[in-house]
Each structure stands twice: as structure tokens, then as C-alpha cells.
Amino acid sequence: MIVHTLFSDSPDTLSQVKAALLPGDAVLLAGDGCYQIERAKQISSDADLFMLTEDAQVRGINETNARLISDPEWVTLTAESQQVISWF
């Protein structure tokens, strides 16, 4: 599994992430990447979709189809993955 960590709110970056996804990958929305939640909804059929709880709260995002995770859960997710790709 590859964890694609999306920090950007650019639709172009999300398109690049979608093109790079393989079955079983995960996408984590972090920082300003949390603003991509509406556009990222379609990812959930191809990959597991996560969002950092604290980043969502700071940005006023209350409703999401992503699984909200804490920073320690983020560490576990990355430790269990084969690779992590950060998108800015």
C-alpha cells in the first residue's frame, strides 16, 4: 500500500494523485489538502480516504466521507505502508 498525503488545495494536484493511485492505496488529506474533500469523494471508491482530524477542525470542516484520524494514527498508517508520497 502507498499512502498519498495531499497537502495542496489545487485541483491539478488532486488529478495527479488520482492518476497515480493503485488498488489498495490510501489518500490522506492534510493541511490545505482538507479543502479537497468535495472533489476527493470519488477517490473513496478506488482507495481508502483519510483526513487528519485536527486539520479538518481548524479549517471548519465538519462533514466528511473521509475517515478522520489523529496524528498518532497517521504515524501508524505511514509505518504500515510500503511507501509514502507527499503531494504539495
Side-chain angles (χ1 to χ4, degrees), residues 63-78:
E63 304 230 357
T64 177
N65 63 321
R67 178 176 162 216
L68 295 173
I69 61 172
S70 64
D71 285 349
E73 289 172 312
W74 179 16
V75 171
T76 301
L77 180 66
T78 59

Side-chain angles (χ1 to χ4, degrees), residues 1-83:
M1 167 188 61
I2 297 173
V3 175
H4 299 267
T5 307
L6 180 59
F7 292 95
S8 171
D9 62 352
S10 166
D12 292 336
T13 306
L14 180 61
S15 294
Q16 293 172 345
V17 171
K18 288 179 188 177
L21 284 177
L22 298 172
D25 283 356
V27 175
L28 172 66
L29 303 177
D32 285 345
C34 293
Y35 292 123
Q36 298 266 27
I37 189 57
E38 287 302 314
R39 291 184 289 263
K41 284 182 178 179
Q42 54 202 283
I43 286 177
S44 61
S45 63
D46 301 324
D48 292 327
L49 183 60
F50 299 91
M51 183 185 294
L52 290 177
T53 303
E54 186 174 323
D55 290 357
Q57 290 172 344
V58 166
R59 286 161 180 81
I61 299 170
N62 299 315
E63 304 230 357
T64 177
N65 63 321
R67 178 176 162 216
L68 295 173
I69 61 172
S70 64
D71 285 349
E73 289 172 312
W74 179 16
V75 171
T76 301
L77 180 66
T78 59
E80 292 175 350
S81 69
Q82 295 170 332
Q83 184 178 4

